[in-house]
Amino acid sequence: MNARRLTALDRFIDETQRALETVFGTPPAMRPNPGLAEPDVVLEGAERRHAAGLMRVNHVGEVCAQALYCGQAAVARDEATRAHLLEAAQEETDHLAWCADRLRELDDRPSLLNPLWYGGSYAIGVLAGLRGDGWNLGFVVETERQVEAHIDEHLQSLPPADARSRAILQVMKADEARHADNAEAAGARILPPPIPTLMAGASKLMKTIAYRV
């Protein structure tokens, strides 16, 4: 039997469900949480709040990644590019679930502004995708390289005893590097200035707000 062809309404319903699950639900991870292999050391006071703030920022980053990749995939012209974006999005779902788990362990919560982060990132993803698949993939490369850099900052800033958060971030960093490498191999174009600078500025603003809210 032939596979059913998805209509525009089908895609809209699918995208809406994905958005609601990402922002308000608890999407399941396909891989085990790497933090569970580490001892669950109880952090107190300022260390716990700082670790939670960092993991909230990383959780927001994964909300944004879901929205960004789904927005890009929605307008991708080539099916291979679309498949690449959705595969990366699935791994980002693992990251999202792991960060949410760690926030619960730290007795804290995700950002209250997640609906705003998702909506803005989805719109950016659509705009990037409309430029064509080469630019679409170039946006993936630049996004992932910047995420790698901020994860490095967090690995240095985490409380020394927080081995669980560190284990999660190390796997996330490796995944982000692979996503960027795969996009480059698939024909990503280098984004012209001032786009990388604007992306870095928007990321810095998001991190500053999400750390607290």
Side-chain angles (χ1 to χ4, degrees):
M1 294 179 64
N2 293 331
R4 179 174 176 267
R5 189 177 184 85
L6 295 179
T7 66
L9 178 60
D10 291 329
R11 293 188 183 278
F12 173 77
I13 293 172
D14 183 59
E15 292 295 318
T16 301
Q17 181 178 356
R18 184 189 293 267
L20 292 173
E21 288 177 349
T22 299
V23 175
F24 300 110
T26 54
M30 300 295 291
R31 294 175 290 171
N33 186 329
L36 297 181
E38 302 296 334
D40 187 14
V41 177
V42 177
L43 302 174
E44 300 292 348
E47 283 194 333
R48 184 195 64 77
R49 290 191 295 273
H50 180 56
L54 295 180
M55 294 311 289
R56 181 163 42 252
V57 169
N58 286 294
H59 186 269
V60 167
E62 300 309 323
V63 168
C64 291
Q66 285 291 310
L68 187 68
Y69 286 148
C70 290
Q72 290 177 269
V75 295
R77 299 172 189 177
D78 182 71
E79 190 57 36
T81 300
R82 185 172 186 274
H84 170 88
L85 291 164
L86 293 178
E87 180 181 356
Q90 178 54 59
E91 287 196 343
E92 302 291 355
T93 301
D94 290 349
H95 302 171
L96 184 72
W98 299 342
C99 289
D101 287 345
R102 188 59 186 144
L103 279 170
R104 284 191 291 270
E105 290 175 349
L106 292 167
D107 195 26
D108 217 304
R109 53 158 179 77
S111 172
L112 299 175
L113 301 179
N114 275 344
L116 176 64
W117 303 130
Y118 190 98
S121 297
Y122 189 91
I124 291 171
V126 169
L127 291 174
L130 290 174
R131 292 286 295 170
D133 286 353
W135 296 113
N136 213 348
L137 293 168
F139 205 84
V140 172
V141 173
E142 183 61 32
T143 298
E144 298 292 26
R145 296 305 184 207
Q146 292 193 15
V147 171
E148 282 184 77
H150 102 243
I151 289 178
D152 271 336
E153 294 174 2
H154 287 191
L155 285 169
Q156 295 177 25
S157 181
L158 277 171
D162 191 1
R164 284 201 165 188
S165 296
R166 184 167 284 102
I168 291 170
L169 293 184
Q170 286 170 339
V171 175
M172 286 171 55
K173 181 185 174 184
D175 286 346
E176 311 299 6
R178 180 162 35 80
H179 295 165
D181 291 342
N182 289 345
E184 286 181 337
R189 300 184 65 173
I190 298 175
L191 299 184
I195 294 176
T197 303
L198 292 173
M199 290 171 64
S203 176
K204 184 177 181 179
L205 177 63
M206 178 274 287
K207 289 186 288 185
T208 301
I209 296 173
Y211 182 84
R212 295 175 174 81
V213 184

